[in-house]
Amino acid sequence: MIIDFALQKYPFIIATVVSIIVFFILKRFTDSLVARIGTKAEFPKARTQLVKKYIDVLLGALLFLVLVSIWGVKPDQIFVFISSILTLVGVGFFAQWSILSNVTAGVILFFSFPFKIGDRIRIMDKDFPIEAEIKDISSFYTLLKTDSGENISVPNNLLLQKAIEIIK
């Protein structure tokens, strides 16, 4: 029974294996390319890792589409499935707008590069001013460490909304 299935689906299995191998080759190539560009441009390692994650997600989505088409799912079915998923994600993000705004702010911080890991900053907030060193910048938040040793997680959208002084 398993042998009959394998013989019947042999071309699909081979195409799937080839697609997965190509995915891993592309992933390795893009990861090394991003690492070289990041080193040459002297980007912090955390930022190059973030770009690698985004590219890996994009390649994973592309692999998913290729595998779905190999196994015979019709394009209109793929479109309905993807639009349904995007609708659910859109509703979820609308319900959680702060998540979307933090991701957007993280992308803006990544490309505008107003400060970097290791900089000392002062967040000008009249109710809760913060002076600390930037330890990490991720997609959703920035991790700060104060002189007293406190670790503070600040949402990225706050860093775009408040005035920031770079003390260095």
Side-chain angles (χ1 to χ4, degrees):
M1 184 165 181
I2 294 176
I3 294 173
D4 290 338
F5 175 78
L7 289 174
Q8 191 178 38
K9 300 296 182 181
Y10 181 75
F12 301 112
I13 294 170
I14 294 298
T16 299
V17 170
V18 169
S19 298
I20 292 171
I21 290 171
V22 168
F23 166 77
F24 282 110
I25 290 170
L26 278 174
K27 181 183 178 321
R28 189 170 202 158
F29 172 74
T30 57
D31 284 352
S32 67
L33 182 65
V34 167
R36 278 186 297 189
I37 291 171
T39 302
K40 188 175 181 180
E42 297 178 359
F43 286 136
K45 192 170 186 166
R47 292 208 177 196
T48 56
Q49 292 298 330
L50 188 61
V51 170
K52 286 180 187 180
K53 284 181 195 176
Y54 288 150
I55 291 173
D56 289 348
V57 167
L58 182 66
L59 287 175
L62 184 62
L63 175 66
F64 174 76
L65 289 175
V66 167
L67 291 179
V68 164
S69 66
I70 286 173
W71 285 93
V73 178
K74 295 176 184 165
D76 58 335
Q77 292 172 333
I78 294 172
F79 178 72
V80 169
F81 175 75
I82 290 174
S83 64
S84 299
I85 294 297
L86 290 177
T87 301
L88 287 174
V89 169
V91 168
F93 276 147
F94 181 73
Q96 295 294 328
W97 69 268
S98 63
I99 293 173
L100 182 60
S101 68
N102 281 323
V103 170
T104 305
V107 170
I108 291 169
L109 288 174
F110 177 77
F111 287 110
S112 67
F113 209 59
F115 40 76
K116 60 185 182 301
I117 295 173
D119 282 352
R120 286 196 56 75
I121 63 169
R122 182 177 300 126
I123 300 174
M124 309 295 215
D125 186 5
K126 72 175 190 171
D127 296 330
F128 189 64
I130 300 171
E131 185 174 321
E133 179 183 348
I134 298 175
K135 288 297 183 184
D136 189 23
I137 303 171
S138 71
S139 298
F140 297 100
Y141 63 89
T142 297
L143 185 63
L144 306 174
K145 188 166 193 166
T146 64
D147 291 335
S148 62
E150 293 176 298
N151 287 321
I152 300 174
S153 174
V154 178
N156 284 336
N157 63 0
L158 181 75
L159 295 174
L160 291 180
Q161 294 172 0
K162 300 290 182 181
I164 306 288
E165 178 184 359
I166 300 174
I167 302 168
K168 295 222 181 191

